[in-house]
Amino acid sequence: MITQLAALVGDKYVLHGADLDPWRSDWTGAYRFEPLAVVRPASTAEIAAVVRWANDTGTTVVPVSGNTGLSGGTYADGALLLSLDRLNSIRDLRPDARVAVVEAGVILSSLHDAADAVDMIFPLTFGARGSAMIGGCLSTNAGGSNVLRYGNTRDLVLGIEAVLPTGEVVDLLSELHKNNSGYDLRHLLIGAEGTLGIITAAVLKLHPKPRAYATAMVAPQSLEDALTLLNRLQEATGGAVEAFEYMPRHHIEIHKQIHAGAREPFDTPQAINILVEVAATAPRDCTPGPDGRPAIAAHLEDTLASMFEEGLLLDAVVAQNEAQRAEMWARREAAAEIAMSRKPFISNDIAVPLDKVAAFLNTMERRLPDCDPEAQENIVAHLGDGNVHYTVWPSSDDAGLRDQIMELVEDVALSFGGSFSAEHGIGLSKLPSMRRRKDPQAISTMKAIKAALDPKGILNPGKLLP
Amino acid sequence: MITQLAALVGDKYVLHGADLDPWRSDWTGAYRFEPLAVVRPASTAEIAAVVRWANDTGTTVVPVSGNTGLSGGTYADGALLLSLDRLNSIRDLRPDARVAVVEAGVILSSLHDAADAVDMIFPLTFGARGSAMIGGCLSTNAGGSNVLRYGNTRDLVLGIEAVLPTGEVVDLLSELHKNNSGYDLRHLLIGAEGTLGIITAAVLKLHPKPRAYATAMVAPQSLEDALTLLNRLQEATGGAVEAFEYMPRHHIEIHKQIHAGAREPFDTPQAINILVEVAATAPRDCTPGPDGRPAIAAHLEDTLASMFEEGLLLDAVVAQNEAQRAEMWARREAAAEIAMSRKPFISNDIAVPLDKVAAFLNTMERRLPDCDPEAQENIVAHLGDGNVHYTVWPSSDDAGLRDQIMELVEDVALSFGGSFSAEHGIGLSKLPSMRRRKDPQAISTMKAIKAALDPKGILNPGKLLP
């Protein structure tokens, strides 16, 4: 096998034996495994050759890019791990056309930098952006903090190129905004977690770079008042809210414990801590007015001031410079680190309608002790899109208890019209939820598609489909 | 058959014999056919029963809603025509959540009215909105004039309900903005032209209703200057351009011929006529300023004035009231009527990158006479998204000539990085183009999906896939 793979991608790029050490685990550490080998092809053609070989020999293949997933999607026991890290070129980037053609191994923050250099942004962003790669972002339809304004990953993709389970290459690298020509295979492969094909490149939408940001930490009386703030800000700015992130007291406390320099957002510690950011591109919103503030900052400050007067806010701090803004974001982006600071942890990535977040959290607080009186909650939420990262630290690592807690979370989320999986995907860890909660006709349709496109079950077997 | 169907949906709702007269043609009149019968179920359950019956008896089924398609997608010779017109309720409409749950038989303009009544909009719009129904909009991923700002139909859909080719119902009526739980069957069915399932209902996104519009007819020196105008307006307004529509001289001329009251947009007839509309929701853009104009109108007028001074515009007229705005839109929306005012006609719905529209049109003007020296062009374009409706009136109805002209149009569009099918879909009329131009791996993947989900080929056979 090693010799055959070496013939396809070069000796140096087939790892085995001791070289596998850094490749035997997913990022969370929850999954450890023994891959057959790691192969690091340099091009779409090399990936196609490897997948063709795998199909011929009946070898299963697990694609991996940044390996920052949270659901065990890169578990590769007894499979060939196919790393996309060498497909790392930005093939094209044209600000006038607002597109970038990017390979799967490009790190998200590298694309951010490249877009920034031409005064554009690629809006997708989340804590792991310094390691996560475009291939994984697309395969999981990653979300993050800017979904509120710019949509999920799939909303930022015009075209893709992919290697199918047979090793054939499908070229759908269109830059067009209207292109109705058959089934939308782009959207089928995005979010398929590498089970239907390996996305090798994509045409991504760039957006104009905001010329002015205004960022604040806000302590409303309640989550209901937080939603009032969100709605008033959207109204005042014509929909310019980029992020609206909720951190409860325990998030702030643990952040201070694990980061030496971390501070309280307000002079008086608050129960509800909201990070809000608005941004503007139009000159009239960005140019400083008579009072020296750009209109977008004035809208934020005026909205906060009027809500403060109404008694809906307990405190608010507006970032006065980039360092203060960065501190606010660092606090939010420590979320994954905070969730994993204690083990075992049970990661739940649920979504409910925006106005049901408070009800979901209240119900969980009441009902969690029924499962595990000693369990502790750890919460952070993209409040602007209803996505709650509801981590539980249970009293033991018992598999039965874990499943019981996950079932409870699903029950409560679904009772409020929610979903058991918002932005992290299914992978391995959400398979029981998928089995229990997804529409059975939807699952059997997905299985029929998988069987049709990957009859030998070569690509990322055992993931996504129960 | 009639008796069996009557048992499923009621006597009154199975049409046959002379009752079929209004159902024997698509809207363009290009396709005439003899359906087995027409069935008009009243609910998702009745549709499921009919499709189950069809699957059991091997009867092919063609779904139809508003029947305003332009590609022959409802051709139903020897098939059962399943009309969705009785599934016409808006199940739910909640402005706070910005969603409407709408059945497939709801007419697009009825949804516009319902949204308007709660101060919201459903942005999808095009000439046929008074007849087109939601089911058809979704099944063809309809485009229209507002795609520039709000995206295609698929960008406005959060969830769907559908009857699969087996008669099973799949419930994906999620209202969530983040819901990564397996393959995105919603996006697979949207744009599948009824070949993989019959969409029966959808959760649609509503948008806040703009409080101020500014609309103008503009005559730039060239299409290049038109793009400069588009870019400057987007810059000045922070992306508030809703429509940017191109009509050449012959469009204006024919419109005057076929509509008694139709007028020239400018005192002096112009070669290039652009309809531009900007819209705003934020109070600061809508409240009249010291000069009495809302900021959004001022941005439009100031941009036009400065381009006029630079000599890039020959003329411009800003609508001063709703009647003038309506007149501008009526001229644009006569496009389908104009294209079909002469027969035979060859309808081409292509897309190219925005900055290639002029090159596409120039090349076609030069090369069309090689195919047919007497052919005449009829053009209208969504210039803001690169979508050109390039109709040809050929000198004869010869099928060979038709195909030769379509091949030429495809050649030229693809040479500029374009697509042979932008927003009307494939249906029957674009099958030759699909066969010639679509990535062969994409076609074989689509065929595998079709065979997996509809092994008997019950739903809308012979469409979309060559």
Side-chain angles (χ1 to χ4, degrees):
Chain A
M1 178 188 70
I2 303 298
T3 324
Q4 289 172 339
L5 289 170
L8 299 176
V9 303
D11 242 4
K12 243 172 94 182
Y13 301 112
V14 184
L15 313 184
H16 50 100
D19 289 345
L20 292 183
D21 286 349
W23 300 88
R24 287 192 173 97
S25 171
D26 79 323
W27 181 67
T28 68
Y31 296 96
R32 299 200 58 79
F33 48 85
E34 193 58 40
L36 291 177
V38 173
V39 63
R40 299 175 57 220
S43 66
T44 303
E46 285 189 5
I47 294 174
V50 170
V51 174
R52 225 165 14 240
W53 170 88
N55 207 295
D56 290 344
T57 57
T59 309
T60 54
V61 175
V62 175
V64 61
S65 57
N67 200 28
T68 63
L70 296 168
S71 307
T74 58
Y75 177 84
D77 206 45
L80 179 63
L81 204 52
L82 188 155
S83 169
L84 291 148
D85 64 325
R86 290 179 67 220
L87 262 81
N88 60 2
S89 87
I90 296 177
R91 291 186 191 166
D92 199 3
L93 193 143
R94 301 203 313 282
D96 284 351
R98 296 191 175 181
V99 295
V101 186
V102 177
E103 292 186 338
V106 170
I107 291 173
L108 180 55
S109 61
S110 305
L111 177 57
H112 289 164
D113 294 345
D116 189 70
V118 294
D119 244 16
M120 302 294 287
I121 58 164
F122 179 64
L124 180 72
T125 191
F126 46 84
R129 64 180 173 276
S131 312
M133 294 174 187
I134 294 301
C137 294
L138 266 71
S139 286
T140 58
N141 185 30
S145 305
N146 284 349
V147 167
L148 179 59
R149 184 163 196 182
Y150 299 99
N152 293 287
T153 298
R154 71 169 71 252
D155 301 308
L156 300 169
V157 180
L158 290 168
I160 60 166
E161 173 193 84
V163 174
L164 298 173
T166 50
E168 304 288 351
V169 177
V170 64
D171 178 357
L172 303 165
L173 284 175
S174 166
E175 297 185 7
L176 304 169
H177 286 262
K178 288 180 174 172
N179 185 13
N180 284 345
S181 50
Y183 307 151
D184 201 320
L185 302 177
R186 162 190 55 152
H187 279 305
L188 184 64
L189 288 174
I190 294 173
E193 303 185 14
T195 63
L196 295 179
I198 300 175
I199 296 171
T200 49
V203 183
L204 302 176
K205 290 183 202 172
L206 303 178
H207 284 261
K209 183 169 156 184
R211 300 161 195 246
Y213 286 95
T215 311
M217 287 298 307
V218 184
Q221 289 269 12
S222 67
L223 286 180
E224 286 77 7
D225 293 343
L227 271 195
T228 304
L229 170 62
L230 174 60
N231 291 336
R232 289 198 194 173
L233 272 177
Q234 293 287 36
E235 167 102 5
T237 61
V241 180
E242 304 235 327
F244 202 80
E245 302 287 315
Y246 166 53
M247 291 159 275
R249 182 97 291 273
H250 61 249
H251 178 101
I252 309 293
E253 295 289 347
I254 302 168
H255 186 227
K256 287 193 301 179
Q257 287 162 24
I258 65 177
H259 271 278
R263 302 187 306 164
E264 284 287 339
F266 308 103
D267 292 339
T268 310
Q270 300 290 352
I272 300 176
N273 303 266
I274 306 275
L275 166 63
V276 55
E277 185 159 279
V278 292
T281 51
R284 71 181 182 287
D285 295 322
C286 307
T287 319
D291 59 359
R293 302 179 301 176
I296 191 76
H299 289 304
L300 174 61
E301 290 171 27
D302 296 351
T303 305
L304 293 174
S306 78
M307 284 189 62
F308 195 83
E309 278 164 32
E310 290 174 54
L312 304 174
L313 302 185
L314 298 168
D315 209 342
V317 179
V318 178
Q320 299 301 317
N321 51 49
E322 191 54 34
Q324 290 182 8
R325 179 183 172 219
E327 185 186 6
M328 291 177 183
W329 272 108
R331 183 184 295 119
R332 169 59 184 85
E333 290 181 344
E337 199 185 347
I338 290 172
M340 289 194 272
S341 67
R342 213 176 122 172
K343 298 198 176 162
F345 64 89
I346 302 172
S347 162
N348 286 287
D349 163 44
I350 65 103
V352 290
L354 266 67
D355 56 353
K356 296 297 191 306
V357 171
F360 168 82
L361 292 174
N362 292 338
T363 309
M364 280 311 307
E365 190 175 3
R366 209 178 61 240
R367 293 187 52 188
L368 182 60
D370 299 343
C371 283
D372 183 354
E374 289 160 57
Q376 285 187 35
E377 303 176 312
N378 172 253
I379 298 157
V380 68
H382 303 293
L383 195 58
D385 59 37
N387 177 198
V388 182
H389 297 308
Y390 182 84
T391 303
V392 176
W393 291 320
S395 61
S396 86
D397 205 7
D398 179 71
L401 177 62
R402 166 180 294 266
D403 212 48
Q404 202 186 337
I405 290 173
M406 285 184 75
E407 280 221 54
L408 172 63
V409 174
E410 292 161 24
D411 273 342
V412 177
L414 271 66
S415 75
F416 292 112
S419 169
F420 58 90
S421 175
E423 63 177 14
H424 296 165
I426 304 299
L428 277 183
S429 66
K430 297 297 188 309
L431 280 179
S433 314
M434 185 80 174
R435 183 182 299 114
R436 288 191 287 259
R437 308 293 180 174
K438 190 76 183 175
D439 180 273
Q441 290 308 325
I443 291 183
S444 58
T445 303
M446 291 176 200
K447 287 185 171 174
I449 293 169
K450 171 72 174 172
L453 304 195
D454 186 10
K456 291 192 185 174
I458 296 298
L459 281 187
N460 214 3
K463 315 290 168 58
L464 187 129
L465 290 169
Chain B
M1 179 187 71
I2 303 298
T3 324
Q4 289 172 339
L5 289 170
L8 300 175
V9 303
D11 242 4
K12 239 173 96 181
Y13 301 112
V14 185
L15 313 184
H16 50 99
D19 289 346
L20 293 182
D21 286 349
W23 300 87
R24 288 193 172 99
S25 171
D26 78 323
W27 181 65
T28 68
Y31 296 97
R32 300 200 57 80
F33 47 86
E34 193 58 41
L36 291 177
V38 173
V39 62
R40 299 174 57 219
S43 66
T44 303
E46 285 189 5
I47 293 175
V50 170
V51 174
R52 225 167 13 243
W53 171 88
N55 207 296
D56 290 344
T57 56
T59 309
T60 53
V61 175
V62 175
V64 60
S65 57
N67 200 27
T68 63
L70 296 168
S71 307
T74 58
Y75 176 84
D77 206 46
L80 180 63
L81 203 52
L82 188 155
S83 169
L84 292 147
D85 63 324
R86 291 180 66 218
L87 262 81
N88 60 1
S89 88
I90 296 177
R91 291 186 191 166
D92 198 3
L93 193 143
R94 302 203 312 283
D96 284 351
R98 295 191 177 182
V99 294
V101 187
V102 177
E103 292 186 339
V106 169
I107 291 174
L108 180 54
S109 61
S110 306
L111 177 57
H112 290 164
D113 294 345
D116 189 69
V118 293
D119 245 14
M120 302 294 287
I121 58 164
F122 179 64
L124 179 72
T125 191
F126 46 84
R129 64 180 174 277
S131 313
M133 295 175 186
I134 294 302
C137 294
L138 266 71
S139 286
T140 58
N141 184 31
S145 304
N146 285 349
V147 167
L148 178 61
R149 184 162 197 183
Y150 299 98
N152 293 288
T153 297
R154 70 170 71 253
D155 301 309
L156 300 169
V157 180
L158 290 168
I160 60 166
E161 173 192 85
V163 174
L164 298 174
T166 50
E168 303 288 350
V169 177
V170 64
D171 178 356
L172 303 165
L173 284 176
S174 165
E175 297 185 9
L176 304 169
H177 287 263
K178 287 180 173 173
N179 185 14
N180 284 344
S181 51
Y183 306 151
D184 201 319
L185 301 178
R186 163 189 52 152
H187 279 305
L188 185 63
L189 288 175
I190 295 173
E193 304 186 13
T195 62
L196 296 179
I198 300 175
I199 296 171
T200 50
V203 183
L204 302 176
K205 291 184 201 170
L206 302 178
H207 283 261
K209 181 170 158 183
R211 300 161 194 245
Y213 285 95
T215 311
M217 287 298 306
V218 185
Q221 290 270 10
S222 67
L223 287 179
E224 287 76 7
D225 293 342
L227 272 193
T228 303
L229 170 62
L230 174 61
N231 291 336
R232 288 198 194 171
L233 272 177
Q234 293 287 37
E235 167 102 6
T237 61
V241 180
E242 303 236 326
F244 202 78
E245 301 288 315
Y246 165 53
M247 292 158 274
R249 182 96 292 273
H250 61 250
H251 179 99
I252 310 293
E253 295 289 346
I254 301 169
H255 186 228
K256 287 194 300 179
Q257 287 161 24
I258 65 177
H259 271 279
R263 300 187 308 164
E264 284 287 336
F266 308 103
D267 293 339
T268 311
Q270 300 289 351
I272 300 177
N273 304 266
I274 306 275
L275 166 63
V276 55
E277 185 159 278
V278 293
T281 51
R284 72 181 181 287
D285 295 323
C286 308
T287 320
D291 59 0
R293 303 178 300 175
I296 191 75
H299 288 305
L300 175 60
E301 290 170 27
D302 296 352
T303 305
L304 293 175
S306 78
M307 284 189 63
F308 196 81
E309 279 165 32
E310 290 174 53
L312 304 174
L313 302 185
L314 298 168
D315 209 342
V317 179
V318 178
Q320 298 301 317
N321 52 48
E322 193 54 34
Q324 290 181 8
R325 179 184 173 220
E327 184 186 5
M328 292 178 182
W329 273 107
R331 184 184 293 120
R332 170 60 184 84
E333 290 180 343
E337 199 185 344
I338 289 172
M340 288 194 272
S341 68
R342 212 174 124 173
K343 296 195 176 165
F345 64 90
I346 302 172
S347 160
N348 285 286
D349 163 46
I350 66 104
V352 290
L354 267 65
D355 56 353
K356 296 297 191 305
V357 172
F360 168 82
L361 292 174
N362 292 339
T363 309
M364 280 311 306
E365 190 175 3
R366 209 179 60 240
R367 292 187 54 189
L368 182 59
D370 298 345
C371 284
D372 183 353
E374 289 160 56
Q376 285 187 34
E377 304 175 312
N378 172 253
I379 299 157
V380 68
H382 303 295
L383 195 60
D385 59 37
N387 177 196
V388 182
H389 297 309
Y390 182 83
T391 304
V392 177
W393 291 319
S395 61
S396 85
D397 205 8
D398 178 73
L401 177 62
R402 167 179 294 265
D403 213 49
Q404 202 187 336
I405 291 172
M406 286 184 75
E407 280 221 53
L408 172 64
V409 174
E410 292 161 22
D411 272 342
V412 177
L414 272 67
S415 75
F416 293 112
S419 168
F420 58 90
S421 174
E423 63 177 12
H424 296 166
I426 304 300
L428 277 184
S429 66
K430 297 297 190 307
L431 280 179
S433 313
M434 185 81 173
R435 183 182 299 116
R436 287 190 288 258
R437 308 294 180 173
K438 190 74 184 177
D439 181 275
Q441 291 308 325
I443 291 182
S444 58
T445 303
M446 291 176 201
K447 287 185 171 174
I449 293 169
K450 170 72 175 174
L453 304 194
D454 186 10
K456 291 193 186 175
I458 296 298
L459 282 187
N460 214 4
K463 313 291 167 59
L464 190 128
L465 291 169

